[in-house]
Amino acid sequence: MSDNIKSAKALTGATGFLGSHLMASLLSNGYSIVILGRSTKDERLHERIFRLLHWFGIESLVNQITCVEADLTKDNLGIEDEEYSRLCSIVDSVIHCASDTSFAESKREKVMAANIGGLKGILEFSKHANIDIFHYISTAYAAGTGETYCREVPSIAKTFTNVYEESKAGAEKIISLFCEKNSIKLSIIRPSIVYGDSRTGRSIKFNALYFPVHSMQSIKDIYLKDLNINGGKKASIHGIHIDKDGYLFLPLKIYLHGKGSINLIPVDYFVNAALKIIENCPKSGIFNLTTNSPTTFETLAEYNEQFMKVRGVVIGYGKPSDNTLRNPAEELFDRFIVPYRPYLADNRRFDRTNTDLATDNLNPPEFTYEIFKTCMEYAIGVNWGASIFTIK
Ligand SMILES: NC(=O)c1ccc[n+]([C@@H]2O[C@H](COP(=O)([O-])OP(=O)(O)OC[C@H]3O[C@@H](n4cnc5c(N)ncnc54)[C@H](OP(=O)(O)O)[C@@H]3O)[C@@H](O)[C@H]2O)c1
């Protein structure tokens, strides 16, 4: 490692969406990083990381990285004693970004094992390394479903949208107690829903915001294919047709539980704000990385209509009655967006007092149609992630 780089930061979750962006930003700012991660059955950890460095165009910074295979659930993170002691001697802070981000109740055991069970190893490591500060990447939704104004204070929530949120709130509590007991400063960074880079659209993950749009594209493709059968001879299927402007008319009623909005921040904002907190955090604190101008689902639907050239989408509020007939497109769309539905019409607002102070009032950009288009064009260009590492 070169002399001009600062002390080492340990980072978990570097192979994921937010963690990889944090890694790139830390490296570009001269930090040296110990990456605690895992291999897959096809690729070793260092190969996974190098592939990401290549994607970010920063392979030349590889010397600032130490890749260490670690198992968060094992004593000493499953790292051999000598190497563990060496790492403890060079690491001055930890950024814990690894998390199982599944929402499904059927994955409860796995989510809890990763997000709660996996804390012991990284916290013990932090203690042995005598670190100055522990940064935990949590979620704005650790605030739970009971709050309408979510302050930057410890969560006392009892009800959550899903097991993921519950596990993140539980983790915040455990980490807070541990850090307090061991006199380690703690920053809890709580982003809302993160999408790609607002300037370039680049992203390595395409869930959350992308899901309804991807679903709509899949449904559109099914009908376009059907309408085009026999050289485009079918004029209409169940009223679905191409209108005079070349838009696909697709009658589709989307039911939301009520009026509300979706709290979106771009990954470039997340990284810049998180870095400011990591660099300037004088004392423990909780930071909501959220927007004060959340996007309504109606706006998202308009963006989608313009971008996908689809008309006929109508938004309903409440639950459809049992005898409401749903057309196949509606049934399909409903099924696609199940996990994200609660986030599409949300009424929670987020306090940003600590965040504004720590980040010099750095705020995410308004989610305009231009940003939406840039992100969706990128997503489609890499086939919603399927060809992300083969296309430049
Ligand atoms: N993306 C968002 O919109 C968003 C919003 C709010 C908060 N967050 C928080 O931000 C953090 C990163 O989220 P993300 O979207 O980047 O998630 P992601 O893309 O799914 O990445 C998750 C990372 O965690 C690692 N991981 C998962 N389970 C693990 C386990 N059992 N043991 C060790 N490592 C494990 C993954 O490693 P492998 O690659 O080896 O699987 C990967 O590096 C999470 O803490 C999440 O709660 C994300």
Side-chain angles (χ1 to χ4, degrees), residues 2 25 35 82 88 90 93 119 123 163 166 179 187 191 198 208-209 232 243 260 270 289 294 307 335 337 359 367:
S2 68
S25 172
I35 289 174
E82 204 177 313
C88 286
I90 61 169
S93 56
L119 291 175
L123 289 173
V163 61
E166 184 186 334
C179 286
S187 83
S198 60
L209 164 69
D243 74 11
F270 164 77
L289 301 192
F307 181 74
R335 219 168 314 143
I337 64 158
T359 65
F367 188 60

Side-chain angles (χ1 to χ4, degrees), residues 103 161 211 215 331-344:
F103 292 171
T161 303
F211 232 79
S215 306
E331 281 182 12
L332 210 53
F333 191 82
D334 276 356
R335 219 168 314 143
F336 281 146
I337 64 158
V338 165
Y340 295 106
R341 190 184 290 283
Y343 299 102
L344 301 178

Side-chain angles (χ1 to χ4, degrees), residues 345-356:
D346 191 17
N347 285 304
R348 280 170 284 188
R349 291 289 180 271
F350 297 91
D351 174 24
R352 282 180 42 107
T353 309
N354 292 347
T355 301
D356 285 338

Side-chain angles (χ1 to χ4, degrees), residues 90 134 161 184 200 245 271:
I90 61 169
F134 189 98
T161 303
I184 299 171
T200 61
D245 301 323
V271 164

Side-chain angles (χ1 to χ4, degrees), residues 380-391:
I380 291 171
V382 295
N383 194 15
W384 305 97
S387 48
I388 184 98
F389 293 114
T390 51
I391 295 176

Side-chain angles (χ1 to χ4, degrees), residues 224-244:
L224 277 184
K225 202 165 157 217
D226 266 11
L227 287 168
N228 281 327
I229 286 172
N230 302 327
K233 292 221 172 65
K234 273 193 199 173
S236 157
I237 304 166
H238 311 304
I240 298 166
H241 60 273
I242 310 278
D243 74 11
K244 60 178 178 23

Side-chain angles (χ1 to χ4, degrees), residues 13-18 38 48 72 97-101 114 137-139 164 168 191-194 205:
T15 49
F17 176 30
L18 303 195
R38 54 189 187 175
R48 300 180 72 192
L72 299 176
C97 194
S99 203
D100 189 316
T101 51
I137 310 299
S138 184
T139 164
Y164 161 74
K168 298 295 283 186
S192 53
I193 297 168
V194 188
K205 274 269 176 101

Side-chain angles (χ1 to χ4, degrees), residues 149-388:
Y149 186 65
C150 307
R151 296 181 51 228
E152 292 168 304
V153 294
S155 170
I156 49 161
K158 298 254 181 310
T159 52
F160 300 93
T161 303
N162 50 45
V163 61
Y164 161 74
E165 287 183 1
E166 184 186 334
S167 72
K168 298 295 283 186
E172 282 191 5
K173 277 193 196 108
I174 294 168
I175 297 168
S176 299
L177 283 174
F178 187 93
C179 286
E180 202 180 313
K181 190 167 159 219
N182 293 285
S183 305
I184 299 171
K185 278 192 292 179
L186 168 64
S187 83
I188 295 179
I189 299 175
R190 289 177 175 167
S192 53
I193 297 168
V194 188
Y195 61 91
D197 190 302
S198 60
R199 301 151 304 178
T200 61
R202 281 165 67 83
S203 178
I204 61 164
K205 274 269 176 101
F206 302 91
N207 44 24
L209 164 69
Y210 298 88
F211 232 79
V213 186
H214 189 181
S215 306
M216 186 65 80
Q217 193 205 27
S218 307
I219 293 169
K220 179 186 167 184
D221 287 349
I222 291 169
Y223 282 102
L224 277 184
K225 202 165 157 217
D226 266 11
L227 287 168
N228 281 327
I229 286 172
N230 302 327
K233 292 221 172 65
K234 273 193 199 173
S236 157
I237 304 166
H238 311 304
I240 298 166
H241 60 273
I242 310 278
D243 74 11
K244 60 178 178 23
D245 301 323
Y247 278 56
L248 181 74
F249 181 78
L250 181 65
L252 191 130
K253 189 158 186 176
I254 299 169
Y255 280 92
L256 300 176
H257 56 268
K259 287 215 173 209
S261 49
I262 169 167
N263 201 298
L264 294 166
I265 61 166
V267 72
D268 45 313
Y269 166 74
F270 164 77
V271 164
N272 291 337
L275 198 68
K276 276 184 182 278
I277 293 166
I278 289 168
E279 289 187 323
N280 304 327
C281 197
K283 56 185 174 68
S284 296
I286 297 178
F287 304 91
N288 284 337
L289 301 192
T290 48
T291 174
N292 292 331
S293 315
T295 307
T296 63
F297 191 74
E298 289 79 354
T299 301
L300 213 53
E302 276 168 32
Y303 289 176
N304 192 54
E305 177 173 307
Q306 192 178 341
F307 181 74
M308 286 282 170
K309 296 201 178 318
V310 169
R311 287 195 176 121
V313 174
V314 176
I315 299 166
Y317 302 99
K319 267 193 166 172
S321 68
D322 287 344
N323 49 12
T324 306
L325 278 178
R326 312 282 285 140
N327 67 37
E330 288 168 337
E331 281 182 12
L332 210 53
F333 191 82
D334 276 356
R335 219 168 314 143
F336 281 146
I337 64 158
V338 165
Y340 295 106
R341 190 184 290 283
Y343 299 102
L344 301 178
D346 191 17
N347 285 304
R348 280 170 284 188
R349 291 289 180 271
F350 297 91
D351 174 24
R352 282 180 42 107
T353 309
N354 292 347
T355 301
D356 285 338
L357 214 62
T359 65
D360 298 327
N361 292 309
L362 186 68
N363 265 272
E366 198 188 322
F367 188 60
T368 59
Y369 177 70
E370 275 316 305
I371 293 181
F372 175 88
K373 184 167 169 275
T374 304
C375 290
M376 294 310 151
E377 280 176 350
Y378 183 80
I380 291 171
V382 295
N383 194 15
W384 305 97
S387 48
I388 184 98

